[in-house]
Amino acid sequence: MKTLTLLGSTGSIGVSTLDVVGRYPEQYKIHALVAGSNVDRLAGQIHKFRPHVVVTATEEVRERLISRLAETALPRQVWPELRWGAQARVEAATDSEVDFVMSAIVGVAGLDATYQAIVRGKRVGLANKEVLVASGKLVMEAARKSGTELIPVDSEHNGAHQCLRAGKRSEVTRLILTASGGPFRETSAENLASVTPAEALNHPTWKMGQRITIDSATLMNKGFEVIEACWLFGFSADEVDVVIHPQSTVHAMVEYSDGSVIAQISATDMRMPIQYALTYPARDAAPVPRLDWTETRSWTFSAPDLAKFPALRLAYQAQRAGGSATCTLNAADEIAVEAFLQRRISFPAIAAVVEETLERVPAREAQSVAEVLEIDESSRAVARQIVEERAQTAGGERGRISVRAC
Ligand code: NAD
Ligand code: MG
């Protein structure tokens, strides 16, 4: 029986993880559920999984959860311990009872708890990208020291993890990550300037949280994945290629020194990589659709257009630059994505804001997670300032245009 803490239980990955866990009640029990603010969903999860501890993002959300639970039939004596905030997240992830931590909070809010779990040698299923993008060096050093292995849940890295089992690491020459190309693969560069958040949120193959969906449309998500792959598997940025594969069925490929390429192929269902992380090195039957090989299909592969999607180029540049550049890349992107979702900046401006933030914030080597979080905060402040400047200019432009139109 494995005891789990689930960081980000109410999100897309969190819900899929509980779907897998709920099928094998004799194999898993939940120590803690950690989430942001969705109290309705949390209350439902508490009923079904009876965790010992539940942690919300803020005290106000904890109060709302208490009111919500009071409306249900669950007797108070079986309620979990209800906590909130950053320290409670760390304690939920590092409790001596816990064998496995699923890291699926979105953003740097998930960093400290994941890092501390790694320091204590917990097995970690890693979905959260920001952990490695913002703090890859410190996190991987901690994993080496504690001797724990991070099992990637992101489908491409999970695929790569599987492909790498086919040979020795020293025999590998190249990693190839696939990208769907997002909803704007066929959109002209000119038309990208007027795409809306609703269009950008309409991902062709995956159903995911908002931030990662927009990042998939700009290809920043693929850039983050290149960075994650470098840290997870010890590649340089030049050894990781990205290829557009709109069918999202081949997730990753590893090229060995003799030119042979091993690919990992499966349906677009995150429950497969989630379950792999939970059961590794064993495999179990997963509740995912199988590919029907009697059906005719075509899979296509092409090079990404870096001129149309500069975010991917910026991610490579940041990884090559090293130090805190990737932390700044992530922080600036989060601010720019939020501004785009609020319709304050255009879609192409997301990458422009990130590029300008990278130019303004000097890279340095963080010595601790606290320092990473400081760099994250100061990068956000710079990105916010750039968004403000751009929004004002664009507002002025819009004003002038509407006056002319009148
Ligand atoms: P989501 O937005 O659906 O869920 C995010 C979760 O984080 C929610 O449970 C939310 O309550 C929680 N959260 C947010 N802020 C919090 C805070 N301050 N404190 C505590 N909890 C907080 O996101 P998702 O799609 O599930 O993605 C989660 C992570 O996994 C992201 O880093 C994403 O890039 C990565 N990922 C997701 C997928 C996918 O298919 N969804 C695939 C690969 C990687
Ligand atoms: Mg992915």
Side-chain angles (χ1 to χ4, degrees):
M1 174 92 88
K2 278 189 186 138
T3 304
L4 271 51
T5 280
L6 178 43
L7 303 173
S9 70
T10 57
S12 160
I13 295 286
V15 168
S16 294
T17 303
L18 289 175
D19 182 87
V20 171
V21 166
R23 288 164 198 265
Y24 301 100
E26 68 298 345
Q27 286 185 34
Y28 305 108
K29 66 174 191 249
I30 304 284
H31 169 70
L33 296 177
V34 179
S37 59
N38 188 339
V39 294
D40 287 342
R41 194 167 278 172
L42 258 181
Q45 294 177 343
I46 290 169
H47 264 260
K48 179 148 186 218
F49 292 95
R50 300 296 178 83
H52 292 296
V53 180
V54 168
V55 183
T56 58
T58 64
E59 189 170 15
E60 181 270 328
V61 178
R62 177 179 176 273
E63 295 304 316
R64 278 200 283 126
L65 180 61
I66 290 173
S67 311
R68 183 72 194 80
L69 283 176
E71 290 161 16
T72 68
L74 197 67
R76 268 186 194 257
Q77 58 275 23
V78 299
W79 284 16
E81 188 187 337
L82 300 173
R83 308 192 59 198
W84 63 275
Q87 184 54 30
R89 284 200 288 275
V90 170
E91 286 168 20
T94 55
D95 191 284
S96 60
E97 292 286 299
V98 175
D99 308 303
F100 183 100
V101 175
M102 177 59 82
S103 172
I105 287 178
V106 63
V108 290
L111 173 57
D112 201 21
T114 308
Y115 176 77
Q116 298 298 343
I118 293 167
V119 166
R120 282 168 186 74
K122 307 281 185 203
R123 164 72 60 94
V124 170
L126 190 65
N128 173 303
K129 302 191 179 235
E130 295 78 6
V131 166
L132 287 178
V133 173
S135 190
K137 188 160 184 247
L138 291 168
V139 167
M140 293 314 291
E141 271 170 14
R144 262 189 299 277
K145 256 194 214 153
S146 72
T148 194
E149 196 179 349
L150 299 177
I151 313 295
V153 168
D154 203 342
S155 55
E156 295 76 2
H157 306 82
N158 187 272
H161 191 270
Q162 299 190 43
C163 297
L164 287 166
R165 292 169 79 178
K168 293 197 197 102
R169 179 61 188 81
S170 58
E171 295 163 349
V172 172
T173 45
R174 212 151 58 104
L175 170 66
I176 301 113
L177 300 177
T178 60
S180 71
F184 306 133
R185 186 170 49 88
E186 309 275 7
T187 309
S188 69
E190 203 180 28
N191 288 342
L192 277 184
S194 55
V195 299
T196 64
E199 287 167 328
L201 286 169
N202 187 21
H203 194 276
T205 47
W206 294 101
K207 180 98 197 65
M208 308 176 286
Q210 284 207 338
R211 159 106 197 266
I212 181 172
T213 306
I214 302 297
D215 286 338
S216 300
T218 58
L219 292 200
M220 182 61 93
N221 179 52
K222 212 46 58 178
F224 289 160
E225 291 183 356
V226 169
I227 297 166
E228 280 184 279
C230 290
W231 288 116
L232 275 170
F233 308 120
F235 287 110
S236 71
D238 296 328
E239 291 169 321
V240 183
D241 287 349
V242 170
V243 60
I244 303 295
H245 167 53
Q247 298 79 19
S248 299
T249 313
V250 178
H251 302 294
M253 295 175 268
V254 167
E255 184 191 271
Y256 283 86
S257 47
D258 57 0
S260 181
V261 175
I262 307 287
Q264 189 272 327
I265 300 167
S266 56
T268 50
D269 190 319
M270 290 304 291
R271 290 174 301 175
M272 198 287 298
I274 287 168
Q275 179 164 303
Y276 177 93
L278 284 166
T279 62
Y280 173 80
R283 288 185 189 265
D284 248 330
V288 302
R290 303 297 145 126
L291 293 173
D292 179 0
W293 294 98
T294 61
E295 212 179 78
T296 310
R297 68 184 74 244
S298 47
W299 290 339
T300 57
F301 301 92
S302 58
D305 182 343
L306 295 189
K308 203 165 97 178
F309 298 108
L312 181 55
R313 170 180 56 80
L314 292 174
Y316 270 102
Q317 270 174 19
Q319 180 62 8
R320 287 191 186 106
S324 59
T326 55
C327 173
T328 298
L329 176 90
N330 169 62
D333 178 69
E334 195 170 316
I335 296 298
V337 166
E338 192 182 281
F340 168 68
L341 287 171
Q342 294 162 349
R343 306 192 73 141
R344 302 192 67 220
I345 60 170
S346 70
F347 183 80
I350 298 175
V353 167
V354 173
E355 184 155 31
E356 208 173 324
T357 310
L358 282 166
E359 281 162 12
R360 289 200 209 171
V361 179
R364 61 182 215 251
E365 202 66 64
Q367 303 301 325
S368 65
V369 167
E371 203 180 328
V372 170
L373 294 174
E374 256 171 56
I375 297 168
D376 173 78
E377 206 35 69
S378 52
S379 302
R380 275 163 206 271
V382 172
R384 272 191 209 103
Q385 176 64 35
I386 296 167
V387 163
E388 221 40 63
E389 290 161 14
R390 286 185 161 260
Q392 273 170 19
T393 319
E397 278 298 315
R398 269 201 297 276
R400 277 199 294 281
I401 291 164
S402 62
V403 167
R404 268 206 305 270
C406 288

